[in-house]
Amino acid sequence: MKFYLISDNIDTQMGMRLAGINGVVVHEPDEVKNELEKAVNDKDVAIILMTEKLVKLCEDLVYDIKLNYKSPLIVEIPDRHATSQITETINRYVSDAIGLKL
């Protein structure tokens, strides 16, 4: 099982590559969706790392995969330009999954 990165900048890709994680750099919503679908259908990929900006481009698809697929796990990572709001993201997942607002 392996990690796979879908990033919007080369700096993040290079850093992950140094850690042994392969991935792609994309910028348009269609590119993100295509790469995400490829990664989801690759049985060797266990964890998909996505930058915050790209998750926002395809929120509906990402949340659908997170809520309805057992594998792979999608992890939203901040890049050098992003500000992580992980608490809001977790609250949204809980709200979507069980219908309870925190």
Side-chain angles (χ1 to χ4, degrees):
M1 302 309 261
K2 61 183 178 180
F3 284 84
Y4 188 74
L5 172 72
I6 303 175
S7 177
D8 64 317
N9 69 63
I10 293 175
D11 295 333
T12 303
Q13 182 191 32
M14 286 295 144
M16 292 298 176
R17 190 176 289 167
L18 289 171
I21 299 171
N22 291 323
V24 293
V25 175
V26 294
H27 301 286
E28 301 298 322
D30 291 339
E31 295 173 323
V32 177
K33 288 176 185 177
N34 289 337
E35 290 300 328
L36 188 54
E37 287 173 6
K38 284 182 198 175
V40 166
N41 292 322
D42 184 344
K43 298 300 179 195
D44 290 333
V45 174
I47 299 173
I48 299 171
L49 304 173
M50 290 183 69
T51 55
E52 232 177 73
K53 182 178 176 182
L54 295 183
V55 169
K56 287 184 173 127
L57 281 179
C58 300
E59 271 185 321
D60 293 339
L61 178 58
V62 171
Y63 295 140
D64 178 56
I65 293 168
K66 284 184 173 190
L67 292 172
N68 297 313
Y69 288 68
K70 290 183 180 180
S71 178
L73 174 67
I74 298 177
V75 178
E76 183 176 343
I77 60 170
D79 61 16
R80 65 187 177 126
H81 300 293
T83 58
S84 181
Q85 298 176 358
I86 194 68
T87 304
E88 291 176 21
T89 304
I90 292 171
N91 285 340
R92 188 174 339 132
Y93 293 150
V94 170
S95 178
D96 289 348
I98 61 174
L100 178 68
K101 289 204 176 231
L102 300 176

